[in-house]
Amino acid sequence: MEYCETITEKIEGVGFYSPSGHFSEVHLLLEPGSPNSGIRLENKIPHGLLDKKWQKQIMTVLKSNKLLGVLTNSPLTDIKITLIGGSQQTKYSHASDYRNAALRAVRQGLMKLRARNAVKILSAFNKVELEVEERHYSQIVALIGQNRGNVLAAMDKNKKIKMNITMPEENLSSFEKKLRLLTNDDYQLTIIKQEFVFAHHQQRIIDQVAYNPEKDLENSANAVSCPHASDDLIVPWNKVEQIVFYPMSKI
C-alpha cells in the first residue's frame, strides 16, 4: 500500500439518507488520531436518542467497511470516529438506511475538511535491514540518499556491513534494482516494518491520481431527501446541514 489519508482537524460529519419510504440521520465526530493508530471507533450517543439496533448497525458498518479518503481515494488511517447523534422515524427507518447515512457522514466530514486543506496524504515508509559486502558501503550510502532514504545504523559483520535504513515505499523498487546491479545480486534485504508519514509533494500526488470525490457516486457525501412526498432530491454535501433534524454540535 503506497498511500493512506488522514485528517489534521476535528469536524462533525452528518449523513442524511431519506429517500421515499425511508429515514436515517447520523452525526459523527471525526478527530485526528495518533500516528500509525489506524481507525478507532467510539459510541457516545446520548441515551435513548437512537434505538440500540441502529447504533449497533452504525458501529458495525464503520468497523467492517474500508473507509476511503477524498484526496486520492486511499484508505483512511490515524483517525478517531465517534457516534454523537442522529435521528430516527420508527415507521420508516431501516438497517440499510443507517448503513448509507453512516458512510455519508464520514464522507461529508471529510469533504468539509478537504475544503479547509485539513485532509492529508500519508506515504508508506519502510524500515529495512540490508546486508552487503563492506566494499560497496560508500556507494550504497549514496544510493540510499538518492532514493530519499536514511541510514539509521551500520555495523561490521565478517567483511560485510549490516545496515538499518528507512525509505519511502515508492522508491524501494528502484533502489533494489540498482542495488542488484551494484552488488551483482549479492545482498540480503528484509522489510522489518512499514509506517506512514506525511507525504512530500501533496499536490503533485493529488494531480497525478486525479481523483474527483464529487463524481464518486459509490462513496457519496451528499444527502438523499424526499420532501413533501415528491421525487427523491440529492442535497449537496455543503448544504446537508440545512435539512437535518438533530442539531449540529458547536465544534
Side-chain angles (χ1 to χ4, degrees):
M1 187 186 303
E2 191 171 342
Y3 299 119
C4 283
E5 295 183 34
T6 193
I7 63 175
T8 57
E9 298 178 14
K10 65 181 180 180
I11 197 76
E12 180 177 355
V14 57
F16 191 87
Y17 184 76
S18 298
S20 180
H22 298 261
F23 182 88
S24 57
E25 180 181 338
V26 174
H27 292 241
L28 301 174
L29 176 63
L30 311 183
E31 298 175 275
S34 55
N36 299 291
S37 62
I39 296 177
R40 293 172 53 217
L41 303 175
E42 191 170 355
N43 184 353
K44 285 191 174 181
I45 198 165
H47 179 72
L49 186 63
L50 282 183
D51 284 350
K52 288 187 176 180
K53 61 183 177 182
W54 303 142
Q55 296 180 41
K56 183 178 180 181
Q57 175 70 15
I58 292 165
M59 300 306 289
T60 299
V61 164
L62 295 175
K63 182 178 180 180
S64 61
N65 278 261
K66 187 177 183 180
L67 304 178
L68 301 173
V70 293
L71 298 181
T72 61
N73 203 35
S74 299
L76 278 180
T77 192
D78 301 347
I79 182 172
K80 181 182 178 183
I81 303 176
T82 305
L83 175 60
I84 58 171
S87 56
Q88 64 187 26
Q89 290 185 9
T90 305
K91 183 178 179 180
Y92 297 111
S93 294
H94 305 280
S96 61
D97 301 342
Y98 284 96
R99 178 189 184 280
N100 266 287
L103 296 177
R104 288 170 190 270
V106 174
R107 297 291 286 188
Q108 199 260 354
L110 291 175
M111 289 298 287
K112 290 195 290 185
L113 289 174
R114 176 177 177 261
R116 298 184 192 176
N117 195 32
V119 181
K120 299 296 181 182
I121 300 168
L122 299 176
S123 178
F125 250 73
N126 292 312
K127 288 188 175 180
V128 177
E129 188 175 87
L130 174 64
E131 188 173 299
V132 294
E133 289 188 10
E134 188 176 15
R135 61 193 175 94
H136 297 305
Y137 177 73
S138 59
Q139 292 171 290
I140 288 174
V141 169
L143 187 59
I144 291 169
Q146 292 167 12
N147 287 274
R148 293 177 49 219
N150 292 292
V151 179
L152 302 179
M155 61 191 79
D156 294 331
K157 183 183 177 183
N158 299 326
K159 295 185 179 181
K160 289 193 174 184
I161 297 289
K162 189 174 184 179
M163 309 169 69
N164 292 325
I165 65 176
T166 60
M167 185 171 292
E169 172 77 19
E170 59 188 338
N171 293 82
L172 192 60
S173 178
S174 173
F175 169 73
E176 192 166 5
K177 286 180 182 178
K178 294 175 182 177
L179 181 65
R180 190 175 293 116
L181 292 173
L182 177 63
T183 64
N184 197 26
D185 218 21
D186 184 18
Y187 69 93
Q188 287 187 338
L189 187 147
T190 306
I191 296 176
I192 305 300
K193 187 178 181 181
Q194 187 178 72
E195 296 180 339
F196 285 86
V197 299
F198 287 107
H200 294 280
H201 312 298
Q202 297 260 332
Q203 191 57 51
R204 187 173 72 184
I205 296 170
I206 292 170
D207 293 342
Q208 288 174 345
V209 175
Y211 171 68
N212 186 344
E214 304 214 41
K215 292 185 178 180
D216 187 350
L217 300 182
E218 292 185 2
N219 296 289
S220 179
N222 300 330
V224 180
S225 180
C226 184
H228 311 299
S230 62
D231 293 335
D232 292 346
L233 174 69
I234 303 299
V235 181
W237 63 267
N238 55 354
K239 295 183 179 179
V240 173
E241 292 161 22
Q242 299 174 14
I243 65 169
V244 298
F245 289 85
Y246 186 77
M248 301 292 293
S249 58
K250 296 179 180 180
I251 297 177

